[in-house]
Amino acid sequence: MFKVFWSVLHRDLLLAMRRRTDVLTTLFFFLIVVSLFPLGVGTETAVLRILGPGVVWVAALLASMLALERLFAADFEDGTLEQLLLTDQPLVLLVLAKITAHWLLTGLPLVLMAPLVGMQYHLTDPAIGIMMAALLLGTPVLSLIGAIGAALTLGLRGGGILLSLLILPLYIPVLVYGAGAVELAAVELTATRPYLMLLAAFLLSSLILAPLASAAALRISIE
Amino acid sequence: MNEGLMHFLSQGGYAQFVWGAYGMALLLLVGEVIGLRRRRRTILARLSRLLRLGTPPDNPRDHE
Amino acid sequence: MSSAWSKFASPSTFYPLAGRMIPVFWVLAAGSLLVGLYWGFFETPDQLGGSNAQKGYYRIIFLHVGAAWMSMWLYAVMVGWAAVGLVFNTRLSYMMANAIAPTGAIFTFLALWSGSFWGRPSWGTYWDWDPRLTSELILFFLYIGYIALHSAIDDARRADRAAALLAIVGLVMVPVIFWSINCPDPNQCAALHQRSGLGKVDGNILFAMLTTTLGFWMYSFATTLMRVRTIILTREAQTTWAAETIRAEVRS
């Protein structure tokens, strides 16, 4: 069973490495959105410190969502996805492997880029640490929930815009607690624990439920 | 116009809020019903035309 | 499923039945709305409360509360039909879910609109990021997402099932979303409380409020049945019973 997971994961990563620009586009999108805000709202340190957590999280939401469109699309177009559905391997596992690959390519780089962005917004060192932890827990949830939307809108005209309409409202809990944790880290570091616990709870429950829903959605979209 | 009606319409000086809220409700609810009736008529007309021509309506989703 | 239920689950039986039920619901809706609004405007005090009184604008409550309740209730009913459709694979259930969504979206919008018209005189602002307002806004987005997904898919069967799955995912997420909006700081969650209870409301106001809500409910039945009838006709147009029905309806 794990062999299936690994082989799909390995294949997706390999394919992505062959088309590196796709991955880099998402990251630079994140970087550009985050860098544009100070130009729009002014560059005062106090203002940036207040806005920083929210801006970083909204940008992460958008970046993760933009990349979602490609989660199943390429495999759908060349027929691979249909073949995957026909195999007697559990579809949930295949979906989970694809989501993991997606997160490794779009979510994890955001976590690693967080210190850079934190410095742009003059966040304190502890706040940057909390931001990285929150992103590490939160971005997989984004990929997991987003996969349901990606599976539902598979192969539709204007699927990208539609996807954002379906998925962004569902991202709200992650946004609220993710940004909340970073905001609070500047004031009282120990108080951020419940936030991270909640994010971890979201991660665990979406890890169980979201692949099931995505697999069901894929079956609906493809049959 | 009599006193009582004026009193009712002014709603204690908050007419624009009260009637703004109720007006939008009236607009939307009546509009929904009119839209539904109109849609029913156009669909009936189109389907009966197709039936007369003897062609089975191909993809019903196109007309929804 | 028992045979009686599966009989009504067939669009050809349901279509005429719905046609007979629609006028009944219109009468009930018009009746309760008239009584409720009359009671609300003429049998209630012009002013509420003591020091920080709610003046005439509080009468928006008869619209606002009913619309807000209906918006939430209709979402639950919509998800219920969608789930029935996914489990028993009955076409009519999906059609009911689709027919409910626009009416639900309209009531959600009305709740937001009347809320902001009430908020302006009583709080001094049209919009505030109050938990209830924000939750209602998110509910509106969920309705729009359902309608958008359904209308974006050309294949009726896929559209039904995809939108149904989305509605169920939405319902699972709704408590989490509302909780996160209600309680953005988990350190102070204990402070969360209900700000109003029905028990404190004056009897006349409560009666008017409940009656208009009933009216909205009956209105939702009527519009949903009207909409489901047009959906049935378009979907079933190639069958003989639908062809006969169409001929009969056009003649009359």
Side-chain angles (χ1 to χ4, degrees):
Chain A
M1 221 164 80
F2 285 103
K3 234 180 102 194
V4 186
F5 182 85
W6 284 120
S7 59
V8 173
L9 180 63
H10 183 247
R11 170 183 166 278
D12 272 23
L13 291 178
L14 199 67
L15 279 177
M17 280 305 117
R18 300 246 167 89
R19 272 183 316 214
R20 243 164 272 152
T21 43
D22 276 6
V23 177
L24 290 176
T25 320
T26 317
L27 298 186
F28 279 107
F29 171 82
F30 175 72
L31 211 53
I32 286 176
V33 169
V34 170
S35 308
L36 277 184
F37 267 86
L39 303 180
V41 299
T43 50
E44 282 163 62
T45 309
V47 175
L48 289 184
R49 274 206 182 133
I50 294 171
L51 284 180
V55 169
V56 171
W57 268 99
V58 170
L61 250 58
L62 294 176
S64 147
M65 200 199 61
L66 279 182
L68 273 173
E69 222 186 325
R70 291 196 305 273
L71 180 54
F72 299 115
D75 284 351
F76 175 63
E77 277 153 22
D78 64 14
T80 320
L81 202 57
E82 217 158 329
Q83 297 298 321
L84 283 178
L85 253 70
L86 289 175
T87 58
D88 54 358
Q89 307 295 344
L91 182 59
V92 178
L93 212 60
L94 304 176
V95 169
L96 189 61
K98 290 193 78 66
I99 297 171
T100 312
H102 176 262
W103 177 73
L104 286 174
L105 293 166
T106 60
L108 191 60
L110 296 190
V111 179
L112 299 176
M113 252 154 59
L116 194 67
V117 175
M119 280 179 247
Q120 278 186 316
Y121 283 83
H122 307 290
L123 297 184
T124 55
D125 286 346
I128 291 178
I130 292 294
M131 183 156 83
M132 287 181 77
L135 281 171
L136 192 64
L137 290 169
T139 46
V141 183
L142 303 182
S143 297
L144 283 160
I145 296 177
I148 306 171
L152 284 175
T153 56
L154 198 58
L156 298 182
R157 290 169 271 109
I161 298 288
L162 186 60
L163 180 62
S164 61
L165 204 62
L166 306 186
I167 289 304
L168 284 180
L170 306 183
Y171 280 175
I172 290 170
V174 178
L175 172 69
V176 168
Y177 293 120
V182 186
E183 251 164 59
L184 198 67
V187 188
E188 196 186 354
L189 198 58
T190 48
T192 57
R193 236 175 85 91
Y195 289 84
L196 298 180
M197 303 279 269
L198 271 173
L199 286 174
F202 292 158
L203 176 56
L204 286 178
S205 40
S206 60
L207 203 57
I208 295 164
L209 295 176
L212 288 172
S214 309
L218 273 183
R219 288 202 194 282
I220 288 171
S221 295
I222 284 183
E223 87 171 4
Chain B
M1 237 185 259
N2 64 47
E3 201 88 333
L5 187 65
M6 286 305 286
H7 178 73
F8 174 70
L9 285 179
S10 73
Q11 284 298 319
Y14 294 96
Q16 75 265 38
F17 298 113
V18 175
W19 300 129
Y22 279 95
M24 180 52 91
L26 194 71
L27 199 72
L28 281 182
L29 299 189
V30 172
E32 188 191 9
V33 176
I34 291 175
L36 278 170
R37 288 182 70 99
R38 190 175 298 159
R39 196 168 77 156
R40 178 174 162 77
R41 267 202 300 278
T42 48
I43 283 171
L44 275 178
R46 178 187 289 116
L47 292 179
S48 68
R49 204 162 50 241
L50 285 173
L51 280 176
R52 267 204 303 281
L53 293 173
T55 45
D58 37 33
N59 181 4
R61 286 288 300 184
D62 293 348
H63 318 301
E64 219 175 74
Chain C
M1 269 191 296
S2 69
S3 62
W5 282 111
S6 49
K7 185 163 158 277
F8 285 117
S10 135
S12 57
T13 351
F14 189 71
Y15 183 88
L17 180 71
R20 281 198 300 277
M21 270 151 43
I22 289 170
V24 179
F25 284 121
W26 276 133
V27 171
L28 289 174
S32 1
L33 281 178
L34 278 177
V35 171
L37 288 179
Y38 173 81
W39 211 269
F41 276 98
F42 298 107
E43 302 291 328
T44 53
D46 278 345
Q47 188 163 315
L48 270 190
S51 54
N52 188 19
Q54 292 264 332
K55 305 244 172 48
Y57 51 77
Y58 88 86
R59 291 207 162 106
I60 295 173
I61 197 174
F62 308 118
L63 167 64
H64 180 69
V65 172
W69 279 347
M70 284 319 294
S71 70
M72 290 180 268
W73 171 238
L74 287 177
Y75 191 81
V77 175
M78 184 182 92
V79 176
W81 281 117
V84 169
L86 278 181
V87 173
F88 296 109
N89 208 10
T90 41
R91 283 167 304 158
L92 189 61
S93 323
Y94 292 124
M95 296 182 196
M96 284 302 286
N98 296 336
I100 290 171
T103 304
I106 285 177
F107 277 121
T108 319
F109 179 80
L110 274 183
L112 285 169
W113 178 273
S114 58
S116 71
F117 269 63
W118 191 3
R120 178 68 190 138
S122 65
W123 301 339
T125 170
Y126 281 107
W127 181 261
D128 190 30
W129 291 99
D130 168 81
R132 290 195 190 182
L133 287 182
T134 317
S135 306
E136 197 67 16
L137 184 67
I138 304 305
L139 188 65
F140 187 60
F141 292 153
L142 292 180
Y143 272 118
I144 298 299
Y146 177 91
I147 296 171
L149 180 64
H150 196 277
S151 57
I153 304 177
D154 288 326
D155 174 49
R157 186 175 149 79
R158 181 183 162 188
D160 280 347
R161 286 154 47 94
L165 186 69
L166 178 74
I168 292 172
V169 171
L171 191 75
V172 172
M173 291 293 292
V174 156
V176 185
I177 297 174
F178 286 8
W179 179 256
S180 71
I181 295 168
N182 254 302
C183 176
D185 184 351
N187 292 312
Q188 293 168 8
C189 262
L192 187 79
H193 65 284
Q194 198 75 4
R195 290 173 311 173
S196 57
L198 285 181
K200 283 184 289 184
V201 181
D202 170 82
N204 281 324
I205 294 173
L206 188 64
F207 173 75
M209 214 162 76
L210 293 176
T211 316
T212 47
T213 307
L214 182 72
F216 284 153
W217 196 2
M218 296 301 120
Y219 169 92
S220 313
F221 268 112
T223 51
T224 303
L225 291 178
M226 280 174 86
R227 196 174 283 115
V228 88
R229 264 160 66 94
T230 58
I231 295 175
I232 289 176
L233 271 194
T234 36
R235 293 267 186 98
E236 306 272 306
Q238 66 280 34
T239 62
T240 36
W241 78 262
E244 278 159 22
T245 315
I246 292 164
R247 282 202 196 90
E249 303 241 358
V250 169
R251 240 179 280 129
S252 65

